[in-house]
């Protein structure tokens, strides 16, 4: 499936000089992990857009994403993984509440998200701490991989179970 990542470049993991708990990697800097993920995604055909999504407009056949520079991108499915930044979600009408997994109170949780990331808006998924899942990069990556498989399964009408040999 054609995939676009829109990223405004303020990942929390950029603050981390070394992480030792990403399975399969002995140690890596946060920025190194991000760069490796980006290269892998682009090599697999992902369109990578450096920019910020300002608004998401729900249309009959999907969504329009408007970036702060005015660019408009159209899509059938959306996964929101904005973590600390909640403006986009508030503008979509989602309600935020206290996140008991974040004692500092810095990150909220969005009400009404199912365990699989789905929401009351069709084809729109939310992940990261905002969806009530615990912190750590591998958990963030795994939850959105699970959402991606749900989407592929829905699009193709058959359970996605692909193992390269
Ligand atoms: C000090 C510290 C140390 C940590 N140490 C570890 C560790 O050792 N190991 C570990 O696994 N995890 C660690 N973590 C946790 C880890 O950083 C997070 O679990 C992980 O970054 C979550 O990934 P995420 O993609 O959900 O959110 P983030 O990494 O926060 O990324 C969110 C992204 O969304 C982008 N964004 C937000 N709004 C918009 C918008 N409107 N349009 C476009 N893009 C937008 C942001 O710019 C950002 O790039 C640490 C965190 C901190 C703060």
């Amino acid at each position: 499936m054609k995939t676009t990542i829109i990223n405004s470049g303020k990942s929390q993991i950029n603050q981390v000089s070394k992480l030792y708990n990403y399975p399969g990697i002995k140690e890596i800097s946060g920025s190194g992990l991000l760069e490796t993920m980006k290269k892998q995604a682009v090599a697999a055909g992902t369109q990578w857009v450096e920019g910020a999504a300002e608004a998401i407009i729900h249309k009959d056949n999907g969504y329009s994403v408007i970036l702060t520079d005015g660019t408009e991108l159209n899509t059938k499915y959306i996964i929101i993984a904005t973590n600390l930044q909640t403006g986009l979600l508030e503008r979509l009408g989602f309600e935020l509440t206290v996140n008991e997994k974040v004692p500092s109170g810095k990150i909220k949780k969005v009400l009404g998200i199912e365990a699989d990331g789905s929401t009351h808006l069709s084809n729109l998924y939310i992940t990261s701490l905002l969806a009530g899942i615990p912190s750590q990069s591998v958990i963030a990556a795994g939850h959105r991989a699970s959402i991606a498989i749900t989407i592929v399964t829905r699009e193709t009408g058959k359970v996605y179970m692909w193992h390269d040999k």
Side-chain angles (χ1 to χ4, degrees):
M1 291 175 69
K2 201 174 152 202
T3 306
T4 299
I5 290 181
I6 303 162
N7 178 29
S8 59
K10 296 190 187 117
S11 172
Q12 278 195 311
I13 206 70
N14 262 328
Q15 302 171 35
V16 182
S17 54
K18 281 271 188 285
L19 61 148
Y20 303 94
N21 61 349
Y22 200 95
I25 300 174
K26 198 172 170 198
E27 65 170 71
I28 191 165
S29 64
S31 56
L33 181 68
L34 280 181
E35 198 47 38
T36 307
M37 287 177 167
K38 178 178 175 180
K39 281 188 186 148
Q40 215 171 4
V42 170
T46 301
Q47 180 191 13
W48 192 282
V49 176
E50 299 290 349
E54 174 73 24
I56 295 174
I57 300 161
H58 196 183
K59 296 183 164 173
D60 285 346
N61 54 352
Y63 294 89
S64 274
V65 182
I66 317 292
L67 308 195
T68 45
D69 69 0
T71 307
E72 180 173 344
L73 300 165
N74 294 302
T75 181
K76 184 168 173 186
Y77 294 94
I78 294 210
I79 303 173
I80 299 180
T82 53
N83 207 18
L84 289 169
Q85 286 145 287
T86 55
L88 201 57
L89 294 160
E90 282 161 306
R91 287 192 287 282
L92 271 167
F94 284 101
E95 207 180 317
L96 295 149
T97 186
V98 172
N99 190 334
E100 64 283 351
K101 292 199 173 72
V102 186
S104 69
K106 273 192 203 155
I107 303 180
K108 303 272 186 253
K109 186 171 78 177
V110 180
L111 285 174
I113 307 180
E114 301 298 327
D116 67 357
S118 59
T119 67
H120 69 281
L121 294 177
S122 61
N123 298 344
L124 186 145
Y125 296 81
I126 298 175
T127 184
S128 78
L129 287 171
L130 292 167
I133 61 170
S135 168
Q136 299 304 283
S137 293
V138 67
I139 298 173
H143 191 244
R144 57 207 66 169
S146 166
I147 295 172
I149 283 184
T150 302
I151 292 172
V152 173
T153 299
R154 287 180 56 194
E155 273 299 292
T156 59
K158 50 184 182 188
V159 176
Y160 183 86
M161 187 67 70
W162 183 26
H163 301 288
D164 283 337
K165 285 194 174 170

